[in-house]
Amino acid sequence: MEIFEIKVPGIGVRYDFTTEAGDRAGIVIRRDGTRDIVIYDREDADAALGTIELSEGDAAAIAELLGGTTITVRLEQLRHDVEGLAIEWVVMPKAGGLTDQRIADGKIRTRTSASVVAVVRGDHAVPGPGPSFEFQAGDQVLVMGDADAVAEATRILTG
Amino acid sequence: MGHEVVVASASGPLAAPPLVGDVLIELGLVLLVLALLGRLAQRIGISSIPLYLLGGLALGKGGVIPIRAGDNFIAVGAEIGVVLLLLLLGLEYSPEDLRDGLRSTWRAGVVDVLANALPGFAGGLILGWTPTASLLLAGITYISSSGIIARLLADMDRIGNRETPVILSLLVMEDVITAFVLPVIAVLLVGATLAQGALAAGLAIGVVLLAFYVAFRLSARVSRALHSRSRELLLLTVLGITFLVAGLADAVQVSAAVGAFLLGVTLSGQVADEVRSLLPPFRDVFGGLFFVFFGMQVDPRTLPPVLLPAIALACVGVVSKVATGYAAGALAGIGRAGRWRAGYALVPRGEFSIVIAGLGVAAGVEPQLGPFAAAYVLALAVAGPILMRAGDRRRGR
């Protein structure tokens, strides 16, 4: 799908696209973070038939519904950009592995060359957790590196 | 535009200074009248600007209830109103918006100037006005009301429309061009000789260019320096800088309004976001005073003689703006229906036309200018939104 970016002076940016089924739609991202989903008239390609106004929270929830958080989308892009880069979300097990242990205890970095770049716990995220960060059961751990290293790191994390 | 204040205080009934109580009572009455008119405007779904002007006509000299003691405060409040109106207008745009707008719509911008400023200039000359007064009238007929149009586009759910960026870019363009022309007009109004005038105008335009350069280059740095987490400190800082810049701009004949606009463009990022949410209530109060003050300076008895020419010029103004919007839409590859929508959307004239007229009224350049501008803006601030809605209904929506 091709997406066109159009600046809307004093308001923000609009992204236009046509779906495979031929429907034209757009998303206006306002400077204050609210987003409008716009559906265009099939008869008059310039006019909005209707607009759905979304708060930042609404937009995040809908992005989730539509498949993949915005983080995932960006990661996909990164994976695309760096050939051979593997990115894995690892969910910490109830017990075993590194659950209830510190990052430093696993020596992931030295043993595998992969990195733990972020941890999502409940509804907040810890970007770049330090060596003394302690994993808890259910943490979603983002591991990055080459494919072998990530597989090895996953094994260390989940035991 | 500081001249307004001076003129008002010179002509005001200041033999005995009015009692503080009287000033407060009259100010209270003026604000209450504004509140009532604002409610009425909301009820019937039109912009409040024309009603504020009518309120001013009723309260001013020769009006139904002439108000005098508050004159001075209202004059100062009006001046603050202009500065805040223009500051917030500038805040709506980032330097990138200006650059992109100029790049993408300059052709339509030229059409806009030719189609809308020339009839005003010609109209002024036909009425027997001086070239300077005619130039002011050209500005009044040229500039669409960003305030009215932006609000209507949002109300009518047109932000996502493909012709909307075209409309907004044209408005940006008009504001930038006016920022360059106002200093020239300000110099002409002082009545300088041609050589002096050219020198002063050159200086003024140099200052505006410098300000644009600062806006583009130092926008982020200035914004960071002014920022504060405390709303109180942020407000004090921004208002202080704004009045200082506006005053200095006025002192070098660039016009306070232009100074405030350029400062608004310069501010960006977090400061801009917060000021945009903090200042609108102030703007609405003082902006209301500005429109009332303008109305108050116009004696209603001077309206009838200019009514017919003003309405004739307003009709020309409708046609020329619709044609401009249609052409701009065509240049941007918008479909036929969208071109018409762009055309009707550009019709409303409002705050900036009154700002320009205010300059001339303060300088006393042409006695008919005030009433003429009032009638013209009244007509188009009311007719514009109606036409815009009618344009929508024509499509059966």
Side-chain angles (χ1 to χ4, degrees), chain B residues 1 27 38 50 142 175 177 191 233 258 262 279 293 318 361 372 391:
Chain B
M1 230 170 286
L27 186 61
Y142 165 60
D175 296 335
I177 291 178
L233 294 180
V258 173
L262 290 172
L279 275 188
F293 180 66
V318 170
V361 171
F372 196 100

Side-chain angles (χ1 to χ4, degrees), chain B residues 153-318:
Chain B
L153 287 174
D155 284 353
M156 294 172 70
D157 240 1
R158 286 208 195 155
I159 297 299
N161 278 19
R162 291 213 317 158
E163 78 277 3
T164 296
V166 178
I167 298 169
L168 294 173
S169 300
L170 265 182
L171 294 179
V172 174
M173 195 78 187
E174 292 183 356
D175 296 335
V176 172
I177 291 178
T178 309
F180 279 102
V181 176
L182 275 190
V184 177
I185 293 181
V187 170
L188 288 175
L189 285 176
V190 182
T193 66
L194 202 61
Q196 281 174 325
L199 187 71
L203 182 73
I205 288 175
V207 170
V208 175
L209 278 175
L210 186 72
F212 268 114
Y213 179 80
V214 170
F216 275 85
R217 278 296 143 104
L218 305 177
S219 176
R221 216 174 295 170
V222 171
S223 304
R224 226 175 299 130
L226 294 185
H227 190 252
S228 163
R229 277 177 192 282
S230 150
R231 289 155 53 111
E232 183 186 347
L233 294 180
L234 183 72
L235 209 50
L236 286 173
T237 314
V238 170
L239 283 180
I241 294 266
T242 304
F243 292 137
L244 197 65
V245 167
L248 288 175
D250 196 58
V252 294
Q253 307 291 354
V254 172
S255 122
V258 173
F261 174 73
L262 290 172
L263 181 68
V265 173
T266 309
L267 297 181
S268 62
Q270 219 176 344
V271 179
D273 287 342
E274 288 189 25
V275 173
R276 264 199 298 270
S277 69
L278 285 176
L279 275 188
F282 292 86
R283 175 202 53 194
D284 295 342
V285 170
F286 288 103
L289 283 182
F290 165 67
F291 293 117
V292 163
F293 180 66
F294 184 84
M296 285 170 72
Q297 289 172 300
V298 175
D299 189 331
R301 285 164 298 192
T302 59
L303 270 177
V306 297
L307 214 50
L308 218 58
I311 286 174
L313 202 57
C315 291
V316 176
V318 170

